[in-house]
DNA sequence: ATCGAATTCCTTACCACATCGGTAG
DNA sequence: CGCTACCGATGTGGTAAGGAATTCG
């Protein structure tokens, strides 16, 4: 029932995963000619080296029903050709948005991608979840204390969970969890690799799927479906339910990347399988969660992964504003008024763009 | 060990204006 | 209920200025 509500209610618009038929698809695999949710994508494409290199593209963030063809830097969104045409023909300003052909992604999508854009952002896109021994030692204390803290709080809080400073961290964990929980646990060390080089030069493209691989995939899918079913509601284990509907873990990635496309933000609220304040359900559970050793280990692992991806640098909330700020004239670093000439040139440029766009030329500045 | 000068590092304010988001008609 | 117009608030980046921290004689 729960699953049906998710798919039929919240995400009736989005194309459902061709594999699990439950969650909203987030990527389109060219080799498989199928739409996959994040969980199924990770499951299927982590099976072996061959499928690992399958080229995939994000599903259009606007219609959520077609493979994205371009990436709009101003909107920080991946769009299909149809939505691109609709959105960027709306006004002259929109026509000036810098758009680039989307690059296919390969590898195992464990957790959110660094950016929904087709380009890597600094060292982030790799998000290699490698564990250095030294790091692990350093983290051990903090991790332990954090978890101990939670445990203490768990006991102290009448509602069964922590509030205050740790809430955020935990909520993040839950969010992260919702994105990655469906990955296979034995793939936790797996990389999240957006190997663009490989795909660009074509060596990574691979449309041939060996039979053996397919067999593996079928087994994986069956196993995954089984796990999914088990995961739907397990009050005795964790005190709250997971669902398989991952619904655009992509969106969260955008936030991690420091760019928050508005469309995806709304996406989260609209499509999230849990209630808008999913944590409320979690916290309002009358029964404090009892962590088994395995639960604890899993949570510690998730906490570590989350810690690795923590970012303290400035977060760009509006990519379009950033784009304009970068093109704005300055005097000693301060924004300066545009001269009349500059305004005229700008207007001329925009009209030129309008004319060009009639002929289907994608403007860029 | 203490002091002052020099150097390095870090934080913050400033600017213009497109965009956002709320409100009214 | 949906659309449009209006308007104040917001956020954006590069630089300079100022203060804190560090180094050196």
């Amino acid at each position: 029932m729960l699953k049906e509500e998710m798919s039929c209610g919240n995400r009736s618009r989005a194309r459902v995963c061709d594999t699990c038929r439950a969650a909203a698809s987030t990527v389109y695999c060219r080799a498989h000619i199928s739409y996959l949710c994040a969980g199924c994508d990770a499951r299927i494409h982590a099976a072996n080296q061959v499928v690992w290199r399958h080229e995939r593209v994000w599903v259009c963030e606007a219609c959520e029903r077609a493979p994205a063809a371009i990436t709009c830097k101003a909107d920080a969104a991946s769009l299909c050709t149809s939505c691109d045409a609709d959105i960027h023909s709306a006004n002259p300003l929109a026509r000036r948005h810098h758009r680039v052909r989307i690059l296919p992604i390969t590898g195992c999508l464990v957790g959110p991608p660094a950016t929904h854009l087709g380009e890597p952002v600094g060292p982030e896109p790799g998000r290699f979840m490698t564990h250095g021994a030294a790091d692990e030692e350093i983290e051990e204390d903090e991790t332990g204390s954090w978890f101990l803290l939670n445990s203490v709080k768990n006991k102290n809080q009448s509602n069964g969970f922590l509030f205050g400073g740790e809430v955020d961290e935990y909520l993040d964990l839950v969010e992260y969890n919702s994105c990655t929980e469906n990955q296979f646990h034995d793939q936790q060390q797996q990389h999240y690799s957006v190997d663009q080089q490989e795909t660009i030069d074509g060596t990574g493209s691979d449309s041939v799927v060996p039979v053996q691989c397919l067999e593996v995939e079928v087994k994986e899918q069956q196993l995954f479906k089984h796990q999914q079913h088990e995961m739907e509601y397990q009050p005795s284990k964790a005190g709250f339910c997971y669902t398989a509907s991952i619904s655009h873990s992509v969106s969260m990635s955008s936030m991690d990347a420091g760019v928050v496309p508005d469309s995806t933000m709304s996406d989260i609220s609209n499509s999230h399988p849990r209630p808008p304040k999913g944590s409320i359900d979690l916290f309002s559970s009358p029964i404090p969660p009892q962590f088994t050793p395995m639960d604890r280990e899993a949570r510690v692992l998730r906490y570590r992964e989350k810690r690795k991806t923590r970012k303290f640098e400035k977060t760009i909330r509006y990519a379009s504003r950033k784009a304009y700020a970068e093109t704005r004239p300055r005097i000693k670093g301060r924004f300066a008024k545009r001269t009349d000439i500059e305004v005229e040139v700008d207007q001329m440029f925009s009209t030129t763009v309008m004319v060009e766009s009639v002929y289907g030329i994608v403007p860029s500045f």
Side-chain angles (χ1 to χ4, degrees), chain A residues 27-46:
Chain A
V27 297
Y28 173 76
C29 176
R30 292 172 177 171
H32 287 144
I33 317 175
S34 62
Y35 293 84
L36 302 169
C37 66
C40 294
D41 172 58
R43 180 160 297 278
I44 292 169
H45 290 110

Side-chain angles (χ1 to χ4, degrees), chain A residues 121-128:
Chain A
V121 180
E124 196 55 29
R127 282 185 182 282
F128 292 113

Side-chain angles (χ1 to χ4, degrees), chain A residues 276-296:
Chain A
K277 296 289 180 185
S279 53
I280 293 176
D281 270 0
L282 176 67
F283 295 152
S284 61
S285 170
I287 305 169
Q290 303 293 323
F291 299 140
T292 66
M294 286 190 67
D295 279 338
R296 183 185 186 283

